[in-house]
């Protein structure tokens, strides 16, 4: 049985994340999307908002749960009884960070395997930061994120302007 965790900040979730989520749901018996609550950072969306948005845009998959977490990813994975961590790789620039993270996690918890899915080519340029930057300058983000995210970003207009 594969119980996988797809962890991230998801601030906000993009079509690139949803591509990885869709493919992970097909690979795993159960997928837990772990939403990082990092008190040291000031995300645009609170962890509760990010969880709500993710629940809203992943309703078509039945083997998925959206769960917030704090602290070490491997502690969260062990608590959830997960045996696989899924990460997306967009380009070679992601590789160094992802390699370090997976090796660290392997030392901390050798029974949990990290697997990498290469992001679909059409989303290989896309990041949550890009979405926030385009939105801050009033650009069209409909190529990057679902409608519900656009609506939630509109509500944050003042905060997005101050992020960039
Ligand atoms: O979407 P992101 O921001 O690239 O996701 C990064 C995330 C949440 C996977 C990573 O920051 C993480 O696992 N944080 C939890 C802290 C941790 O376990 N650190 C040790 C691994 S290096």
């Amino acid at each position: 049985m594969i119980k996988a965790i797809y962890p991230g900040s998801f601030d906000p979730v993009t079509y690139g994340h949803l591509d990885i989520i869709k493919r992970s749901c097909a690979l795993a018996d159960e997928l837990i999307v772990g939403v990082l609550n990092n008190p040291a950072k000031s995300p645009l969306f609170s962890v509760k908002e990010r969880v709500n948005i993710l629940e809203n845009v992943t309703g078509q998959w039945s083997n998925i749960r959206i769960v917030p977490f704090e602290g070490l990813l491997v502690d969260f994975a062990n608590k959830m009884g997960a045996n696989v961590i899924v990460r997306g790789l967009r380009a070679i620039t992601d590789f160094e960070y992802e390699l370090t993270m997976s090796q660290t996690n392997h030392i901390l918890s050798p029974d949990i395997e990290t697997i990498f899915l290469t992001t679909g080519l059409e989303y290989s340029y896309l990041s949550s930061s890009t979405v926030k930057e385009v939105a801050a300058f009033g650009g069209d983000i409909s190529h990057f994120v679902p409608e519900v995210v656009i609506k939630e970003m509109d509500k944050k207009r003042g905060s997005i302007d101050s992020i960039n």
Side-chain angles (χ1 to χ4, degrees):
M1 155 127 181
I2 297 182
K3 192 167 182 179
I5 295 220
Y6 177 42
S9 305
F10 306 106
D11 186 44
V13 63
T14 67
Y15 282 134
H17 295 129
L18 288 171
D19 172 53
I20 299 289
I21 287 174
K22 175 178 145 197
R23 289 155 58 203
S24 302
C25 279
L27 280 175
D29 298 285
E30 184 181 354
L31 180 72
I32 294 158
V33 177
V35 183
L36 180 68
N37 183 21
N38 182 353
K41 281 196 178 174
S42 343
L44 177 61
F45 292 102
S46 71
V47 72
K48 196 163 179 280
E49 288 169 326
R50 285 177 276 147
V51 167
N52 286 343
I53 293 171
L54 273 156
E55 281 174 347
N56 197 310
V57 296
T58 58
Q60 66 269 50
W61 298 294
S62 56
N63 58 336
I64 190 169
R65 266 197 296 159
I66 317 295
V67 182
F69 78 100
E70 275 185 12
L72 283 181
L73 174 58
V74 287
D75 289 344
F76 173 60
N78 282 316
K79 193 173 111 194
M80 301 306 290
N83 46 6
V84 167
I85 293 168
V86 178
R87 290 289 287 170
L89 277 180
R90 287 167 301 187
I92 194 74
T93 41
D94 282 341
F95 185 73
E96 204 169 321
Y97 170 65
E98 294 298 335
L99 183 69
T100 305
M101 197 160 70
S102 70
Q103 287 172 333
T104 307
N105 287 335
H106 185 73
I107 298 285
L108 293 174
S109 193
D111 292 338
I112 301 175
E113 294 290 354
T114 298
I115 64 165
F116 296 104
L117 297 182
T118 51
T119 307
L121 267 186
E122 65 272 44
Y123 307 120
S124 59
Y125 62 90
L126 186 53
S127 71
S128 299
S129 311
T130 306
V131 172
K132 284 182 278 196
E133 180 150 348
V134 173
F137 291 110
D140 176 10
I141 54 169
S142 62
H143 298 288
F144 314 139
V145 294
E147 187 65 34
V148 60
V149 177
I150 299 175
K151 285 196 182 126
E152 293 302 319
M153 301 272 297
D154 279 346
K155 291 185 203 164
K156 298 268 176 188
R157 182 138 302 282
S159 328
I160 305 175
D161 292 347
S162 62
I163 276 181
N164 291 284

